[in-house]
């Protein structure tokens, strides 16, 4: 495998750390940094979020287990894969199993890691881990966290391209999870 070329981009030294505003799910601050080329000072926003997990859940009948929930950033309901915040000290795979069952009531027969991405490294510090949960079977009605209102929906796995291309699935990290799944499947061939 070819390695990435060595970067000539230098780090930006932090001159001052800004005041932290804690909004429970995210901490936001503005730091003052120096441009390594010019030494000019610039403000840069940083959002500290917990790591997240997404789970592509597939039933024994080759159906995708999806969730629909209201998202306040766009004031609309979205169609997504189950997922959520990784608790402090929790292993991402353990979080994937927990979130799948909490949100949907389904339990996986097998769990495969697909990879992880930085949701938006321009100002976020966290990672999003994606997993493929196979041979999923419903074991309960699920038990979403307080503040979650989730509807579970099943779709034939073959409908995935249409769901994305027609704009039914618009959450970028969900699309990334499916892309990682496809890359892994192609690499196995």
């Amino acid at each position: 495998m070819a390695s990435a070329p060595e970067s000539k981009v230098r780090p930006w030294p932090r001159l001052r750390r800004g005041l932290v505003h804690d909004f429970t799910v995210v901490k936001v601050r503005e730091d003052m940094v120096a441009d390594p080329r010019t030494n000019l000072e610039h403000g840069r926003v940083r959002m500290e979020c917990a790591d997240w997990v997404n789970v592509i859940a597939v039933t024994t009948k080759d159906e995708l287990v999806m969730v629909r929930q209201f998202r306040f950033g766009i004031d609309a309901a979205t169609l997504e894969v189950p997922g959520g915040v990784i608790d402090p000290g929790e292993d991402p795979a353990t979080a994937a199993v927990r979130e799948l069952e909490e949100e949907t009531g389904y339990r996986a027969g097998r769990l495969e890691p697909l990879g992880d991405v930085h949701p938006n490294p321009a100002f976020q510090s966290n990672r999003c881990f994606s997993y493929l949960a196979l041979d999923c079977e419903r074991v309960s009605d699920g038990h979403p966290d307080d503040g979650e209102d989730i509807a579970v929906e099943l779709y034939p796995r073959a409908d995935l391209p249409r769901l994305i291309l027609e704009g039914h699935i618009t959450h970028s990290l969900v699309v990334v999870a499916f892309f990682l799944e496809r890359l892994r499947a192609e690499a196995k061939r």
Side-chain angles (χ1 to χ4, degrees):
M1 181 189 316
S3 62
E6 188 174 321
S7 175
K8 295 180 182 180
V9 175
R10 294 176 282 176
W12 289 50
R14 182 177 17 208
L15 304 173
R16 289 182 304 287
R17 184 182 172 107
L19 179 65
V20 175
H21 301 277
D22 190 342
F23 299 101
T24 309
V25 297
V26 63
K27 293 178 183 176
V28 181
R29 71 173 195 263
E30 182 180 35
D31 293 346
M32 295 307 292
V33 298
D35 182 326
R37 293 177 302 110
T38 65
N39 286 326
L40 292 176
E41 213 172 280
H42 297 274
R44 293 293 185 255
V45 172
R46 180 175 172 119
M47 297 172 60
E48 294 181 5
C49 307
D51 288 341
W52 303 322
V53 65
N54 273 336
V55 184
I56 297 172
V58 183
T59 68
T60 55
K61 296 178 180 175
D62 209 32
E63 298 166 306
L64 294 171
V65 181
M66 304 290 289
V67 294
R68 190 173 299 275
Q69 57 187 322
F70 189 84
R71 293 301 193 182
F72 295 92
I74 61 169
D75 287 325
T78 61
L79 183 62
E80 305 175 9
V81 296
V85 171
I86 299 172
D87 292 335
E90 186 177 33
D91 176 73
T94 302
V97 169
R98 176 182 52 75
E99 286 289 342
L100 174 61
E101 192 166 339
E102 281 179 4
E103 291 191 353
T104 68
Y106 280 81
R107 189 174 294 151
R110 294 182 291 146
L111 188 71
E112 298 178 8
L114 296 173
D116 63 276
V117 296
H118 291 99
N120 189 341
F123 50 81
Q124 285 178 245
S125 59
N126 64 330
R127 294 186 299 168
C128 182
F129 296 82
S130 295
Y131 287 86
L132 177 62
L134 297 168
D135 304 324
C136 293
E137 294 185 355
R138 190 168 191 133
V139 295
S140 73
D141 290 333
H143 36 281
D145 294 331
D146 287 340
E148 286 184 322
D149 183 24
I150 296 172
V152 177
E153 300 178 13
L154 300 178
Y155 292 88
R157 199 169 185 188
D159 283 359
L160 177 64
R162 179 185 63 78
L163 292 171
I164 293 173
L165 293 173
E166 290 180 1
H168 300 285
I169 297 173
T170 60
H171 192 306
S172 61
L173 294 174
V174 173
V175 175
V176 165
F178 284 114
F179 182 67
L180 289 171
E181 179 200 17
R182 183 173 188 162
L183 290 177
R184 293 271 180 209
E186 288 176 2
K188 288 180 181 178
R189 290 185 201 155

